[in-house]
Amino acid sequence: MTPVPSELLHALKSGDSFLITSHIKPDGDAIGSMAALGHILVRLGKNFSLFNESGLPEKFTWLEIPGIINKRPPEGDFDWIIVLDSGNADRPGKYISDLMNRKPCINIDHHPGNTSFGRINWVDPEYPAVGEMIALIAEELGLELTGPIAESIYLAVVSDTGFFSFGNTTPGVLELSATLIRNGLDVRNLNPLITNQWSRARIQLYGLALQKAEFIDEIGVGLMCITRNMLKKTGTGPEDSEGLVNMLLKVHGVRVAVIMREDEPGRVKLSLRSAGDDDVRVIAADLNGGGHKNASGAVVEASMREAREMIIGSCRRHLG
Ligand code: 5GP
Ligand code: MN
């Protein structure tokens, strides 16, 4: 695993002000990493602002974040833009290219195929979460992993490892988590805040979707769809389908689990998961998506029926 590049540490020490961002629809790794890096910059006495085009998802409002997460690029100058958990320069959304024209960028990420879009790039897919990379930055700077910085890093690493159940779980991430707990992290109170965030409406949505689960036995694919009608009927939003795909993987014989979610008429978001050696990134890449070996996604301009044909076709090509 690559250590923190010295030029990155130098940029953090010598810069005065920073803009920190991450991919749209941020997950626990994106939000936890942003918050942790913000706490580091507080301890270094730097100016910074936090920016994510989707804002802070409701489920993370319990986290102690150093400042607000702006949905628009904040006014004012900064020396560096720091992009977290984003495999390419488009993942943070539509404002990012303008920002990157103005200022140099530090790219910290763990997605395979990252396009190295920064002036400084620290990209290493061996790290299970960007949060672990931020923890290494803190350690290099001589900062203790305690308090809100520890909570942010813990949120990041448990989000991307599925509480240490996914294939990306490493000795390093377990040792880091042990250090956080030894330093006083209150897992008894934290774990329910991270995992027990479902609404009743979400249970209803899961019920509708699970009833219609479909299995293609010869290639080991499980499929579910979330239609706009299901969301409307249950009073849920697209974010409520998060995590549902993992339930399909629990079914014996399922190698690849797929959720197709109709975000708009004619636009379907796909989420793919696998366990072990099956690589869903190549399946998603056929549909111009990406991600990790065991967790990938794509967005296709298609009807639900067409999206189903497309994803089954891609699965057949790769899961022979
Ligand atoms: P999810 O299924 O939870 O939305 O995403 C799983 C993984 O796939 C994430 O690590 C994310 O980076 C990646 N991913 C999701 N959607 C897309 C997409 O539309 N394009 C690309 N390149 N990656 C995606
Ligand atoms: Mn991540």
Side-chain angles (χ1 to χ4, degrees), residues 6-203:
S6 53
E7 54 175 348
L8 197 165
L9 292 171
H10 181 258
L12 293 178
K13 286 182 200 160
S14 61
D16 285 325
S17 58
F18 302 84
L19 180 75
I20 305 174
T21 190
S22 60
H23 62 81
I24 53 167
K25 302 196 176 144
D27 55 14
D29 189 29
I31 291 296
S33 296
M34 282 180 72
L37 187 55
H39 288 298
I40 289 173
L41 293 178
V42 168
R43 294 201 201 172
L44 293 180
K46 306 288 181 178
N47 294 312
F48 66 94
S49 32
L50 305 171
F51 160 60
N52 186 291
E53 217 175 286
S54 311
L56 177 68
E58 178 70 28
K59 64 181 176 202
F60 300 129
T61 47
W62 55 268
L63 185 68
E64 194 175 324
I65 294 171
I68 56 163
I69 297 189
N70 301 280
K71 286 173 122 175
R72 297 281 176 274
E75 303 285 322
D77 202 21
F78 50 89
D79 299 323
W80 289 93
I81 171 164
I82 306 178
V83 180
L84 302 174
D85 201 27
S86 301
N88 62 59
D90 296 329
R91 292 283 287 144
K94 60 178 182 282
Y95 298 106
I96 194 73
S97 52
D98 179 45
L99 291 167
M100 283 179 40
N101 284 337
R102 281 166 47 201
K103 293 293 170 184
C105 168
I106 298 172
N107 164 20
I108 305 175
D109 184 42
H110 67 140
H111 287 90
N114 182 296
T115 55
S116 293
F117 52 86
R119 168 98 49 97
I120 297 173
N121 298 285
W122 184 25
V123 175
D124 189 344
E126 297 288 311
Y127 287 107
V130 172
E132 182 177 349
M133 303 169 85
I134 305 300
L136 291 175
I137 292 174
E139 284 175 342
E140 285 291 335
L141 293 168
L143 303 174
E144 259 189 48
L145 299 176
T146 53
I149 188 168
E151 293 190 358
S152 306
I153 287 167
Y154 184 73
L155 168 65
V157 302
V158 299
S159 297
D160 268 22
T161 62
F163 278 89
F164 316 110
S165 70
F166 299 158
N168 60 359
T169 303
T170 57
V173 77
L174 291 166
E175 281 156 5
L176 166 61
S177 304
T179 299
L180 300 177
I181 296 169
R182 251 184 229 112
N183 289 357
L185 186 88
D186 182 359
V187 285
R188 181 169 290 129
N189 282 307
L190 214 48
N191 286 346
L193 288 170
I194 297 171
T195 55
N196 304 349
Q197 292 280 355
W198 293 7
S199 63
R200 293 182 197 181
R202 183 186 281 221
I203 291 283

Side-chain angles (χ1 to χ4, degrees), residues 182-246:
R182 251 184 229 112
N183 289 357
L185 186 88
D186 182 359
V187 285
R188 181 169 290 129
N189 282 307
L190 214 48
N191 286 346
L193 288 170
I194 297 171
T195 55
N196 304 349
Q197 292 280 355
W198 293 7
S199 63
R200 293 182 197 181
R202 183 186 281 221
I203 291 283
Q204 305 301 326
L205 176 70
Y206 275 31
L208 289 182
L210 287 166
Q211 270 176 18
K212 297 209 167 154
E214 181 189 357
F215 299 94
I216 305 173
D217 288 331
E218 68 273 19
I219 48 172
V221 169
L223 285 142
M224 277 197 280
C225 65
I226 304 276
T227 63
R228 283 155 54 82
N229 197 29
M230 288 177 180
L231 296 178
K232 198 169 154 203
K233 218 164 152 177
T234 53
T236 49
E239 67 285 354
D240 286 302
S241 69
E242 199 186 290
L244 179 55
V245 65
N246 293 310

Side-chain angles (χ1 to χ4, degrees), residues 23 25 27 29 85-88 91 109-112 160 242-243 245-246 259 261 268-273 280-281 284-285 287-292 294-300:
H23 62 81
K25 302 196 176 144
D27 55 14
D29 189 29
D85 201 27
S86 301
N88 62 59
R91 292 283 287 144
D109 184 42
H110 67 140
H111 287 90
D160 268 22
E242 199 186 290
V245 65
N246 293 310
I259 294 253
R261 191 182 69 211
V268 176
K269 153 84 198 196
L270 298 160
S271 280
L272 290 90
R273 298 291 186 272
V280 286
R281 193 166 75 95
L287 307 179
N288 291 323
H292 307 276
N294 295 139
S296 288
V299 177
V300 293

